């Protein structure tokens, strides 16, 4: 029996649900090509950050305004317009990825200002992106600002983008919103085609020897996938947009669980960074073997069969088992005697 792994994400027909998510792996053409050769169904590019473009424009402006007082020497100053800027480099990389890859290329943007989101999104559209992921990575550290204001900004940005950009749009959210389900619903109503749940917040640590902040980036483990599992399960069948699961997909089993919950695609990042492109082959083969063993004919048949709506124990995705779980924990007595 041939098993059909195909899936649809953001309106794109994909050959399987395994998609390398936004990471430095899309910065090199050969690593991107290796991902395609190992079966990636699409690729999400690293993000274009508006604040980096702004910082660069600020430097250019200062250089242009600078009068060093020696007419001739001033001409030795770098002419910034001739240098490929941050945004140009990104657009060039997008064009090159589109040239060398056959799989869809999803651009990723992290904007700051409403005008910036729209301006850069249009440039990404013109450069040939197949879709655009909005990386709304934001730490609500301003304690004067309430949660509703943060949500409103996401929705307003999206509404503006939807008016001006025809590309399929997805929103990559952090898990730190108070009512994720309702926010996703608002995101759908504002015209998004999908959401990616969830971006990881990188947490600063403290080095107790040097009394300094330690900014090491730690990769995920499979345990991290449980966060997306719950929310994908709750949302499947209740919203119409595509659902990407991101965070902690390291094995075929992780991917199967997320598909059972209702993910349309499973994103891979830490697993590929730590294990290389061969991890895609392992996950692909593992998912096929599991589907075969459990007599599924397709990913479509599997998708969402254990979502909250379809689960024999829907309460497990909510608070249902909370008290039972806590009280069923057995303290190892041997440690306390
Ligand atoms: C080194 C590194 C770079 C990343 N860069 C981006 C980025 O530019 N934009 C983005 O939206 N996510 C970025 N991510 C987040 C990943 O795409 C992914 O959502 C997150 O790491 C959780 O998935 P994982 O457990 O498979 O790593 C990055 C992650 C890592 C580890």
């Amino acid at each position: 029996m041939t098993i059909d792994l195909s899936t649809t994400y953001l309106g794109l027909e994909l050959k399987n649900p395994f998609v390398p998510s936004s990471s430095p792996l899309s910065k090199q053409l050969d690593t991107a090509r290796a991902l395609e050769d190992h079966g990636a169904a699409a690729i999400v590019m690293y993000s274009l950050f508006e604040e980096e473009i702004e910082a660069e424009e600020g430097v250019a402006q200062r250089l242009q305004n600078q009068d060093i007082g020696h007419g001739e020497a001033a001409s030795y100053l770098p002419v910034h317009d001739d240098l490929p800027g941050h945004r140009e480099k990104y657009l060039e990389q997008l064009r090159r990825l589109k040239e060398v890859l056959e799989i869809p290329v999803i651009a990723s943007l992290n904007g700051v200002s409403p005008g910036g989101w729209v301006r850069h999104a249009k440039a990404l559209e013109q450069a040939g992106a197949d879709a655009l992921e909005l990386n709304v990575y934001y730490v609500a550290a301003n304690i004067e600002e309430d949660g509703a204001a943060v949500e409103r900004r996401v929705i307003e940005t999206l509404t503006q983008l939807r008016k001006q950009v025809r590309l399929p749009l997805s929103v990559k959210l952090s898990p730190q919103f108070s009512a994720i389900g309702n926010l996703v619903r608002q995101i759908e109503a504002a015209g998004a085609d999908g959401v990616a749940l969830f971006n990881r917040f990188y947490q600063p640590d403290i080095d107790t020897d040097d009394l300094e902040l330690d900014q090491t980036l730690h990769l995920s483990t499979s345990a991290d996938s449980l966060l997306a599992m719950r929310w994908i399960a709750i949302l499947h069948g209740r919203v119409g947009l595509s659902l990407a699961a991101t965070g902690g997909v390291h094995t075929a089993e992780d991917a199967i669980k997320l598909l059972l919950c209702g993910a349309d695609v499973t994103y891979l990042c830490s697993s590929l960074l730590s294990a290389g492109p061969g991890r895609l082959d392992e996950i692909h083969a593992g998912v096929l073997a599991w589907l075969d063993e459990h007599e599924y004919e397709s990913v479509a048949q599997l998708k969402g069969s254990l979502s909250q709506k379809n689960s024999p124990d829907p309460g497990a995705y909510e608070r249902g088992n909370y008290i039972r779980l806590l009280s069923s924990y057995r303290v190892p007595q041997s440690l306390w005697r």
Side-chain angles (χ1 to χ4, degrees):
M1 179 176 64
T2 15
I3 296 172
D4 178 7
L5 288 183
S6 67
T7 186
T8 306
Y9 178 57
L10 307 176
L12 305 166
E13 301 297 330
L14 304 184
K15 61 187 173 190
N16 67 50
F18 315 124
V19 175
S21 67
S22 193
S23 89
L25 291 171
S26 47
K27 288 188 173 170
Q28 312 276 326
L29 291 184
D30 51 353
T31 43
R33 217 185 272 128
L35 292 169
E36 179 173 74
D37 291 346
H38 285 265
I43 188 168
V44 187
M45 283 181 76
Y46 57 96
S47 294
L48 172 64
F49 290 97
E50 186 185 348
E51 63 204 279
E52 286 192 342
I53 301 169
E54 278 186 346
E56 193 175 63
E57 283 170 353
V59 171
Q61 198 62 51
R62 279 198 298 282
L63 280 173
Q64 262 160 24
N65 295 342
Q66 187 171 305
D67 178 3
I68 62 171
H70 304 282
E72 192 190 352
S75 65
Y76 303 150
L77 286 171
V79 181
H80 207 79
D81 286 350
D82 293 347
L83 296 173
H86 194 76
R87 186 174 98 155
E88 250 335 294
K89 279 193 205 141
Y90 190 95
L91 295 174
E92 189 49 32
Q93 180 67 355
L94 167 56
R95 288 186 205 104
R96 290 161 97 201
L97 287 169
K98 283 297 299 169
E99 254 167 51
V100 303
L101 301 178
E102 283 176 16
I103 54 176
V105 178
I106 302 171
S108 168
L109 176 61
N110 177 275
V112 181
S113 62
W117 276 104
V118 171
R119 198 167 68 248
H120 303 309
K122 280 182 167 173
L124 295 168
E125 180 168 48
Q126 275 162 18
D130 293 290
L132 176 62
E133 185 166 277
L134 312 176
N135 169 11
V136 293
Y137 192 105
Y138 177 74
V139 178
N142 173 3
I143 65 170
E144 302 301 326
E145 186 181 45
D146 65 21
V150 178
E151 288 190 7
R152 211 162 36 241
R153 204 166 43 241
V154 172
I155 301 300
E156 279 166 8
T157 302
L158 182 59
T159 307
Q160 282 312 312
L161 282 167
R162 187 65 296 164
K163 281 189 201 145
Q164 313 232 20
V165 178
R166 296 171 65 96
L167 282 178
L169 294 175
S170 80
V171 182
K172 189 175 188 186
L173 287 177
S174 87
Q176 292 183 0
F177 287 94
S178 61
I180 299 278
N182 181 268
L183 178 61
V184 171
R185 207 182 204 184
Q186 294 181 57
I187 285 174
E188 182 177 13
D193 302 276
V195 282
L197 308 177
F198 292 103
N199 211 341
R200 274 177 86 205
F201 273 143
Y202 297 99
Q203 325 278 11
D205 199 350
I206 289 178
D207 180 331
T208 51
D209 289 328
D210 299 338
L211 288 184
E212 277 177 2
L213 285 183
D214 174 8
Q215 303 255 36
T216 313
L217 192 160
H218 299 285
L219 299 180
S220 67
T221 66
S222 288
D224 292 303
S225 67
L226 302 183
L227 183 63
M229 246 181 67
R230 159 180 279 153
W231 284 104
I232 300 257
I234 290 174
L235 290 167
H236 178 82
R238 298 200 167 97
V239 289
L241 38 59
S242 298
L243 301 172
T246 172
V249 184
H250 288 256
T251 63
E253 198 184 358
D254 300 330
I256 291 162
K257 289 191 220 169
L258 288 158
L259 294 167
L260 281 165
C261 287
D264 294 298
V265 288
T266 57
Y267 276 1
L268 298 113
C269 175
S270 291
S271 55
L272 297 173
L273 290 172
S274 58
R279 181 53 60 88
L280 273 165
D281 301 302
E282 288 165 34
I283 292 181
H284 193 274
V287 170
L288 271 180
W290 189 94
L291 289 170
D292 191 28
E293 192 189 329
H294 292 81
E295 300 181 352
Y296 282 97
E297 289 172 11
S298 64
V299 157
Q301 196 186 8
L302 171 77
K303 226 190 262 178
S305 46
L306 270 184
S307 68
Q308 189 183 36
K309 261 181 125 178
N310 298 331
S311 162
D313 183 10
Y317 287 118
E318 294 178 31
R319 195 175 181 278
N321 296 338
Y322 179 54
I323 301 172
R324 183 151 58 82
L325 266 178
L326 296 187
S327 52
S328 68
Y329 186 81
R330 294 283 159 257
V331 177
Q333 291 303 315
S334 56
L335 296 177
W336 298 91
R337 275 193 209 114

